[in-house]
Amino acid sequence: MSKDSFIKGAAILSIAGLIVKVLGAIYRIPLTNLIGTEGMGYFQPAYNIYNLLLVVSLSGFPTAIAKMVSERRALQNYEGAYQVYKVSRWGLLIIGIVSSLLILFFGRSIVSFIGFPGSYYSMIALVPALFVVPLLSAYRGFFQGSQNMMPIAVSQLIEQIFRVAVGLYLAYVLVGTGLEEAAAGATFGASAGGVAALILIYIMFLSSKKSINEEIKLSSHNKTEPVWDIVKNLLYIAIPITIGASISPVMGIMDSYIVSSRLAAIGYTEAQYTGMFGELSGTAQTLINFPQVFSTAVAMSLVPAITEAFARNQTHRLNVTAKAGVKMSMIIGLPCGIGLFMLAEPVIALLYPSIGSAKHASSGALLEILAIGVIFLTLVQAFTAILQSVNKQYQPVKNLAFGLVIKVILSYILIGIPSINIKGAAVSTTVAYLFVALLNWRDVNKTKIKVNLIEITARPLLSSAVMALATEISFRVLKSVLGSQSFATLGAIAIAVVVYAVCLFLTGAITRQDLELIPKGEKLTKFVRK
């Protein structure tokens, strides 16, 4: 495969991934306005369980399939590559059947155990998705290994579009019936999206079947292997990736369980703690997802450059590129975190007008805490990308596991304190990210890369401080002049963006070399010069 084709394929997946993430983040805003925080409290626990069950089929296996298919195709063993796909398809079909039957028969017991029995309908609505999405990942892994990224990108977009459209429509139709039913309608969007994407990618697979058979027929290097050998190789690659990817959904399920049990222990009713959990997961947490979209894109775009420098033992280039990656992540994370902290309640009121002023205040308090965690989370992402690029992929997994332990302990203690209650979950998340960021930083500095955080963050932090001052002043002035908090919030955000951008260049936080490390950075450099 040519370099241009590789770049084109990576670009297609990156663009599709960005659109999917933006749609997913935006989706929860109208949904929360429609079903409220209590409805989101039924929606989110079911989704946390669903995400954990899907980790197996959506994280490790597509990567393992792609790797094994790619290796065999490189040797012109096209029949062997196709055999990998067939074996993995049957394996993932079994996983889909088992996970969907598990929820179908034990769904009520599971949601009751974590303290959210009202999430039962939402859990059942996800059964079709649990069946079809593993099959979908088998096709995606095969296409990725065949270096054909278009079917993957298109299926991802279709899946998300159907998820959002069907989920919002059903929530709207069912909200008059009850919040539990409306939340179930919203979660069924994932099932509709999975079915639509599977049908589409299967059609694309059938259209390419002729060329696949032609490759197999013309190759003289075809050979097959014992099925068990393929299964062992798939598991060897998939299991470590799956373990790492499981930590985040496990954290979500632990949050659900601890929040319900500890709030119930200090006197809150099921309806009350469900609404409070909805404020945490449906309002505050949704806004935290936006900065992640862009910080992840920046961090991952630098991985190839870091990997290449490491492979060629170019220590100076390795350090320059890694530091640039951390700095660019902080340039995104610092203003997002500080900006959300400064305007937490006004932003909640702007985006969620239907939930009422009392919940604007309580959700704003949660967002203030989580906003600080954004800064640490962007560091976690940057350092994780660096460690993965220098063959230290197990370090971030261990550090995340340690962070999970810290979060569970802190959540249990803090949520049980009546004056702190649900805010304890937000505090524990922020502290956990801080510890994981520090551990990842330590592990990065054990390699050939040396990152001085004070040196890297000083200028972006100064720019963010000036931006924070401008945000506070502009919000107060605009609110008194315009008499509208919503317009004042929008105006303050616009002013903050301009002030921060100017400060970045005045302080020298961004240099020409930094811009050139970003994809299409040359064009961005010319624009900045103008």
Side-chain angles (χ1 to χ4, degrees), residues 146-167:
S146 302
Q147 299 170 343
N148 183 2
M149 305 304 177
M150 187 59 74
I152 304 170
V154 174
S155 69
Q156 286 176 344
L157 287 173
I158 291 298
E159 182 180 9
Q160 191 71 313
I161 289 168
F162 269 78
R163 176 185 171 232
V164 171
V166 174

Side-chain angles (χ1 to χ4, degrees), residues 85-356:
Y85 150 73
K86 288 193 293 184
V87 170
S88 60
R89 182 188 60 187
W90 282 108
L92 287 166
L93 175 62
I94 293 169
I95 289 172
I97 292 171
V98 171
S99 60
S100 56
L101 289 177
L102 175 70
I103 295 303
L104 190 62
F105 291 114
F106 300 104
R108 191 179 294 278
S109 300
I110 293 170
V111 294
S112 296
F113 174 75
I114 64 173
F116 290 89
S119 296
Y120 173 67
Y121 294 141
S122 296
M123 195 74 262
I124 293 301
L126 291 166
V127 167
L130 287 168
F131 177 74
V132 301
V133 173
L135 275 176
L136 182 59
S137 68
Y139 288 103
R140 285 174 175 167
F142 178 73
F143 278 120
Q144 185 181 351
S146 302
Q147 299 170 343
N148 183 2
M149 305 304 177
M150 187 59 74
I152 304 170
V154 174
S155 69
Q156 286 176 344
L157 287 173
I158 291 298
E159 182 180 9
Q160 191 71 313
I161 289 168
F162 269 78
R163 176 185 171 232
V164 171
V166 174
L168 286 177
Y169 173 74
L170 290 178
Y172 175 77
V173 169
L174 295 171
V175 72
T177 308
L179 290 178
E180 293 181 26
E181 291 80 0
T187 58
F188 186 77
S191 293
V195 171
L198 180 61
I199 292 171
L200 175 69
I201 206 166
Y202 181 67
I203 292 170
M204 298 179 84
F205 177 78
L206 287 179
S207 67
S208 63
K209 192 72 183 295
K210 184 178 179 181
S211 63
I212 293 169
N213 290 335
E214 195 69 22
E215 284 180 332
I216 294 172
K217 183 179 178 181
L218 294 175
S219 178
S220 58
H221 300 279
N222 288 323
K223 68 173 185 176
T224 57
E225 304 167 59
V227 171
W228 181 239
D229 287 350
I230 294 175
V231 172
K232 285 192 294 184
N233 287 333
L234 281 168
L235 293 175
Y236 178 78
I237 300 168
I239 286 175
I241 300 171
T242 302
I243 292 171
S246 299
I247 292 172
S248 181
V250 166
M251 194 177 288
I253 292 173
M254 291 303 298
D255 244 2
S256 305
Y257 175 75
I258 295 172
V259 164
S260 64
S261 60
R262 296 300 285 159
L263 289 180
I266 58 176
Y268 287 93
T269 65
E270 182 189 331
Q272 286 175 323
Y273 70 65
T274 298
M276 294 166 77
F277 187 69
E279 288 182 45
L280 175 71
S281 60
T283 55
Q285 189 66 50
T286 297
L287 296 176
I288 300 306
N289 292 336
F290 279 103
Q292 291 183 51
V293 173
F294 302 102
S295 60
T296 302
V298 169
M300 296 312 296
S301 69
L302 291 165
V303 167
I306 297 171
T307 303
E308 183 182 349
F310 176 73
R312 296 184 177 183
N313 202 25
Q314 297 171 333
T315 304
H316 175 71
R317 184 183 165 204
L318 185 66
N319 273 272
V320 169
T321 309
K323 288 176 184 177
V326 175
K327 185 165 72 171
M328 293 304 293
S329 294
M330 291 306 292
I331 283 171
I332 293 170
L334 278 168
C336 288
I338 293 172
L340 285 172
F341 177 84
M342 298 293 297
L343 295 173
E345 187 176 339
V347 168
I348 292 286
L350 176 69
L351 296 176
Y352 306 103
S354 67
I355 65 175

